[in-house]
Amino acid sequence: MSKTNNQAAIVGIGQTEFSKDSGRSEQQLAAEAVIAACKDAGINPEEIDGCITYTIDNSDEVDLLRSVGCKELNYTVRLPQGGAANAATLYHAKNAVESGVCDVVVIWRAMNERSQYRFGQPTVSISPDANSSTFIEWCFPFGAQTPASWEALSCGQYLSKYGVTSEDLGNIAVLMRKHAATNPNAWFYQQPITLEEHQNSRWIVKPWLRLLDCCQESDGGVAIIVARMDKAKDLKQTPARLLSAQYSFLFNHEIISDFYEGDLTGLPFSERVTEKLIEDAGIAPKDTDVAMIYDNFTPQVLRQLEGFGYCGPGEAKDYIADGNMELDGKTPLSPNGGLIGEGYIHGMNNITEAVRQIRGIAANQVENVETAFVASGVAGAILGK
Amino acid sequence: MRPDPILRIDTAFFWEACERGEFVAQKCGPCDILWHPPRPMCPKCHNTEKEVQQLSGLGTVVSWCVAVRPQAFGFEESPIAALIELDEGLRFVSNIEGVAEEDMQPGIRVQVAFADTSGGKKVPVFKPVSE
């Protein structure tokens, strides 16, 4: 673990509202989120000297400089793998500030994935000279053209092997909507669902994914400011220290169309991340106080709970059903309602919730939070006071 | 109608073989290993001289799905998409034809056939192995 003063911490979080029609550009959403995070931290945007986002974010670093008035960036990074990048942004921000390359790094993700385009619908054009994207090339002519289709093919073997039913998946959706129902920041605030409503929701992709198994398509932006503890102590907020952040991108694996390597009933990269977290921070994900697990689709939660060591192979459906991840359970799952209940800003809003839980200001505040785990398949981070 | 495949420099050999009614995979000769999806270099020996090997066309269904909403783009009706474990050990996403949706399950033995695309190309699809 780093020396305390050298250690990275999340010192500011910011966001726009989460909606279905933001009415403004993605570039504006990004800028608004960054400024909100700076204000939250008590940092002048001129101090930002590094920035991180996803390869598929439509805002450019130039846009950021122009809009928020950064003076000089000496470090810019864009991460591959779509939403799986979300916890990996913390890994890179941590390295950037702990190495001394940067003093203040901003991470952003902003999207109008409901009003401007539909993130969950078929990608209907790809150029042959685009970068390699097997999830299009080797799936598109066969009608597997959406994230939900790729997820269904990817999780099918796991779900079949362990006898997971649609009701088991529904339990996850019900839990996320229950948490969202008491979170005013959630799109589905005051809108809990029953298992019956889940079972009656229309099919998106048979035989696994109903509408209520899928995360939302949201408009909105989220930004996070990372700095070292020597700076954090002079800022406005209680810092959420990055006790460890880890990343594992394994041979022959892919993003969501991860069909081609190894046993599809497990997540070997999540297991690797868990090993590295324990080695680095001395804390296992299952021993933290809050679990923010990337919930793009309900089956992903099950496989990640096993991959990150919360329970054994095939046990995740019962681990959830037994109440372990309720707000008063052993390790509450996404008290904000997650990407299913709060909004889908590609996972970034699960990081901001982890920070709120560490600060003790969350809408659904868990008692006595000392540590929180943020996970997105190939990456994970443990935050602490 | 079914969309055309996307031909790329490193993968065109596969789709061109389909035109001849052949179902093939990239093979590294020196390593005697098949690779799918195709790639510009063998990750074991870094050889860029690629051979093309005909496959048996036999495989087993691992998982399957049907896009209900939205329907699959380009198709009159969403096909059954499936992940198939080929007898050679590779996995391949394709379609299952000749099996009703309610009869789909993992473990069905299938063999390759070819289907036409909107632009007059061919892509491999799979049907149950005839007993």
Side-chain angles (χ1 to χ4, degrees):
Chain A
M1 201 185 296
S2 306
K3 289 177 190 167
T4 304
N5 273 346
N6 290 338
Q7 190 164 56
I10 297 174
V11 299
I13 52 176
Q15 65 167 83
T16 67
E17 79 287 359
F18 302 150
S19 76
K20 303 294 179 189
D21 186 3
S22 74
R24 51 209 197 274
S25 71
E26 293 184 320
Q27 290 70 31
Q28 182 170 336
L29 295 175
E32 288 180 18
V34 169
I35 292 302
C38 288
K39 282 182 179 164
D40 177 66
I43 278 181
N44 186 325
E46 292 184 1
E47 294 181 71
I48 294 171
D49 59 0
C51 68
I52 297 171
T53 188
Y54 301 30
T55 48
I56 59 175
D57 192 276
N58 290 327
S59 296
D60 201 279
E61 288 75 5
V62 173
D63 295 318
L64 184 77
L65 288 157
R66 278 186 180 148
S67 292
V68 311
C70 309
K71 290 298 179 194
E72 180 183 18
L73 299 178
N74 52 47
Y75 186 84
T76 65
V77 171
R78 284 184 173 247
L79 300 183
Q81 296 174 292
N86 106 74
T89 60
L90 298 176
Y91 170 78
H92 289 276
K94 182 175 193 287
N95 289 342
V97 300
E98 289 183 354
S99 66
V101 169
C102 292
D103 291 326
V104 177
V105 171
V106 65
I107 303 163
W108 88 83
R109 180 79 177 104
M111 57 211 298
N112 280 331
E113 51 142 343
R114 185 60 177 77
S115 66
Q116 200 172 319
Y117 44 91
R118 295 291 300 271
F119 210 63
Q121 299 214 351
T123 307
V124 296
S125 65
I126 181 173
S127 162
D129 54 2
N131 58 4
S132 180
S133 49
T134 63
F135 60 100
I136 300 291
E137 182 177 10
W138 296 99
C139 295
F140 197 78
F142 306 106
Q145 303 161 335
T146 59
S149 294
W150 304 321
E151 171 67 14
L153 291 176
S154 165
C155 71
Q157 192 174 21
Y158 167 88
L159 299 174
S160 298
K161 178 177 178 181
Y162 295 114
V164 179
T165 64
S166 178
E167 287 84 353
D168 292 325
L169 299 177
N171 285 336
I172 301 165
V174 169
L175 182 64
M176 291 297 85
R177 291 290 293 270
K178 180 178 171 184
H179 293 176
T182 50
N183 170 15
N185 192 46
W187 176 257
F188 286 121
Y189 177 51
Q190 295 179 327
Q191 295 176 72
I193 57 167
T194 62
L195 188 56
E196 190 180 8
E197 285 173 296
H198 171 273
Q199 287 297 294
N200 290 332
S201 68
R202 63 176 181 258
W203 283 110
I204 299 299
V205 174
K206 285 183 180 174
W208 300 118
L209 300 173
R210 297 177 184 276
L211 175 68
L212 296 177
D213 288 305
C214 305
C215 68
Q216 301 176 47
E217 291 171 308
S218 303
D219 284 12
V222 170
I224 289 162
I225 309 270
V226 174
R228 281 182 307 278
M229 285 298 286
D230 57 356
K231 183 169 188 69
K233 64 179 169 32
D234 300 325
L235 298 176
K236 281 163 63 178
Q237 306 292 349
T238 305
R241 292 165 57 195
L242 287 166
L243 303 183
S244 185
Q246 300 293 336
Y247 182 45
S248 176
F249 198 161
L250 296 177
F251 172 72
N252 225 22
H253 281 272
E254 302 219 0
I255 313 168
I256 188 166
S257 51
D258 186 26
F259 310 137
Y260 300 105
E261 184 68 26
D263 178 357
L264 299 180
T265 64
L267 296 181
F269 34 83
S270 302
E271 293 167 15
R272 275 295 293 146
V273 167
T274 304
E275 289 170 11
K276 293 184 191 185
L277 287 167
I278 292 170
E279 187 181 333
D280 187 42
I283 306 172
K286 69 177 171 59
D287 295 324
T288 61
D289 301 318
V290 179
M292 305 301 303
I293 310 283
Y294 193 83
D295 55 320
N296 52 346
F297 299 103
T298 51
Q300 271 296 337
V301 174
L302 298 178
R303 286 202 290 172
Q304 286 180 90
L305 286 178
E306 294 168 20
F308 289 113
Y310 284 81
C311 53
E315 294 174 0
K317 64 182 169 68
D318 295 327
Y319 190 81
I320 299 247
D322 291 345
N324 287 298
M325 308 206 88
E326 300 278 341
L327 284 176
D328 59 357
K330 189 177 170 199
T331 316
L333 176 66
S334 300
N336 61 340
L339 313 179
I340 289 172
E342 188 181 58
Y344 183 66
I345 312 299
H346 231 161
M348 296 300 292
N349 52 308
N350 277 354
I351 301 179
T352 50
E353 172 67 8
V355 172
R356 291 188 192 101
Q357 291 288 339
I358 294 289
R359 290 182 185 175
I361 59 162
N364 296 315
Q365 183 62 45
V366 176
E367 285 183 23
N368 304 317
V369 172
E370 294 290 327
T371 54
F373 178 54
V374 180
S376 58
V378 298
I382 293 177
L383 282 57
K385 280 189 174 167
Chain B
M1 203 174 162
R2 182 189 295 277
D4 289 336
I6 302 146
L7 271 63
R8 302 162 58 90
I9 291 170
D10 293 321
T11 62
F13 78 90
F14 177 90
W15 303 108
E16 287 162 2
C18 292
E19 298 297 298
R20 302 189 298 271
E22 296 171 5
F23 184 55
V24 302
Q26 174 180 330
K27 178 182 171 182
C28 174
C31 294
D32 195 26
I33 296 177
L34 299 171
W35 296 106
H36 182 78
R39 55 208 68 191
M41 178 180 281
C42 171
K44 296 288 184 197
C45 72
H46 305 148
N47 184 2
T48 56
E49 297 296 319
K50 296 173 284 288
E51 296 177 18
V52 174
Q53 179 168 312
Q54 291 227 33
L55 301 174
S56 67
L58 293 168
T60 305
V61 172
V62 174
S63 58
W64 63 277
C65 72
V66 177
V68 177
R69 189 183 171 114
Q71 290 268 311
F73 173 81
F75 292 80
E76 273 183 35
E77 193 177 325
S78 292
I80 296 174
L83 179 62
I84 296 160
E85 178 118 8
L86 303 174
D87 284 6
E88 289 82 0
L90 301 173
R91 295 195 193 115
F92 191 84
V93 174
S94 182
N95 294 130
I96 304 296
E97 296 186 346
V99 180
E101 196 183 301
E102 55 271 25
D103 295 329
M104 278 302 299
Q105 56 181 319
I108 295 177
R109 289 286 292 161
V110 290
Q111 64 187 22
V112 76
F114 289 90
D116 295 328
T117 67
S118 57
K121 305 289 183 186
K122 289 187 188 305
V123 298
V125 296
F126 285 77
K127 297 182 174 182
V129 171
S130 36
E131 297 297 334

